[in-house]
């Protein structure tokens, strides 16, 4: 077993800093990819409550400026400049189910939904996130079997699914060639 170190929500900010420096500085872009915009709107539409619901509706179409959304890639690759690469709304009081549309954000490299009130099962579409390197779902109320969904995440390096009500043991799969940090224990 790896990574049994207790982590609290207070540490997410340090973690985000680590991730930003390891993934490279981002070039913000005003407009975002229309399909990513639609996917984010569906994600927000599935929320029953949470701070981003109002803040995201203010700059309605410039999703790369939204709180918790980062677009672009390292380097000067214009073809991905308007694609959402990070979705980071931890501790936003978000309630509701996880939208299937998250699976269409296929340039995502970081998804941090920790410390919210998400419930229900993981949508199978999450396995489409082939470039995802960091996934933090910790401190929510998610249920169901995680193995089949998360086994598609071949690029994953850091995975935190702790403090939910998931079933199944991911480590049995052993299908994560790049995984460096894993946390699935119920730690407080
Ligand atoms: C989840 O685990 C990762 C890896 O151990 C850690 O960096 C992160 O801070 C944890 N998330 C929370 C909310 O504690
Ligand atoms: C989630 O959003 C999708 C797309 O807008 C919608 O079809 C679905 O009914 C929503 N689910 C819930 C539980 O609100
Ligand atoms: C929604 O969240 C706000 C704080 O973000 C809270 O004051 C309000 O009671 C919540 N409403 C529901 C229905 O949970
Ligand atoms: C809306 O966009 C402007 C820049 O165009 C930005 O300064 C402002 O913070 C954004 N507002 C919200 C609520 O995201
Ligand atoms: C830019 O990104 C696209 C899509 O991911 C990729 O096909 C292309 O090879 C990249 N170009 C460079 C120069 O990295």
């Amino acid at each position: 077993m790896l990574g049994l170190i207790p982590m609290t929500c207070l540490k997410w900010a340090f973690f985000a800093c680590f991730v930003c420096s390891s993934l490279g500085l981002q070039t913000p872009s005003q407009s975002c990819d229309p399909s990513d915009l639609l996917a984010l709107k569906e994600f927000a539409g599935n929320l029953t409550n949470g701070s981003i619901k109002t803040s995201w509706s203010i700059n309605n179409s410039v999703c790369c400026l939204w709180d918790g959304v980062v677009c672009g890639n390292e380097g000067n690759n214009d073809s991905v400049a308007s694609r959402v690469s990070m979705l980071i709304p931890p501790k936003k009081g978000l309630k509701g189910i996880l939208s299937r549309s998250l699976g269409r954000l296929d340039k995502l490299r970081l998804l941090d939904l920790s410390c919210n009130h998400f419930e229900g099962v993981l949508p199978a579409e999450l396995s489409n996130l082939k470039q995802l390197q960091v996934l933090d779902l910790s401190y929510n109320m998610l249920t169901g079997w995680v193995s089949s969904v998360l086994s598609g995440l071949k690029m994953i390096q850091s995975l935190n699914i702790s403090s939910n009500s998931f079933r199944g043991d991911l480590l049995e799969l052993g299908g994560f060639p790049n995984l460096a940090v894993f946390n699935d224990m119920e730690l407080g």
Side-chain angles (χ1 to χ4, degrees), residues 112-149:
D112 182 355
L113 302 174
S114 63
C115 307
N116 284 295
H117 309 283
F118 287 108
E119 58 198 9
V121 299
L122 293 181
E125 289 79 359
L126 276 189
S127 65
N128 297 338
L129 302 179
K130 300 297 182 203
Q131 302 192 9
L132 197 64
Q133 295 170 14
V134 177
L135 177 62
D136 194 342
L137 299 172
S138 63
Y139 299 95
N140 281 288
M141 301 179 293
L142 295 161
T143 57
W145 296 89
V146 282
S147 318
S148 57
V149 177

Side-chain angles (χ1 to χ4, degrees), residues 15 19-27 70-75 80 83-88 105-112 129-136 155-158:
F15 182 56
V19 166
C20 289
S21 58
S22 70
L23 297 180
L25 288 174
Q26 305 304 306
T27 310
V70 176
C71 295
N73 210 335
E74 69 263 60
V80 293
R83 299 300 309 276
V84 174
S85 62
M86 302 189 196
L87 183 55
I88 321 174
L105 298 172
D106 59 3
K107 295 294 179 213
L108 266 188
R109 287 173 297 138
L110 186 153
L111 179 58
D112 182 355
L129 302 179
K130 300 297 182 203
Q131 302 192 9
L132 197 64
Q133 295 170 14
V134 177
L135 177 62
D136 194 342
M155 293 291 280
I156 204 79
Q157 293 171 7
S158 172

Side-chain angles (χ1 to χ4, degrees), residues 66-79:
W66 288 354
D67 187 22
V69 177
V70 176
C71 295
N73 210 335
E74 69 263 60
N76 298 311
N77 194 335
D78 287 340
S79 73

Side-chain angles (χ1 to χ4, degrees), residues 33-44:
D33 182 86
S35 127
D36 285 1
L37 177 64
L38 196 61
L40 288 173
K41 284 189 169 176
E42 283 183 34
F43 169 74

Side-chain angles (χ1 to χ4, degrees), residues 28-78:
S29 170
Q30 300 261 320
S31 60
C32 68
D33 182 86
S35 127
D36 285 1
L37 177 64
L38 196 61
L40 288 173
K41 284 189 169 176
E42 283 183 34
F43 169 74
N46 276 164
L47 301 175
T48 56
N49 200 7
S51 55
I52 62 167
K53 273 185 81 92
T54 40
S55 78
W56 284 14
S57 63
I58 294 171
N59 286 323
N60 197 24
S61 64
V62 286
C63 78
C64 296
L65 295 177
W66 288 354
D67 187 22
V69 177
V70 176
C71 295
N73 210 335
E74 69 263 60
N76 298 311
N77 194 335
D78 287 340

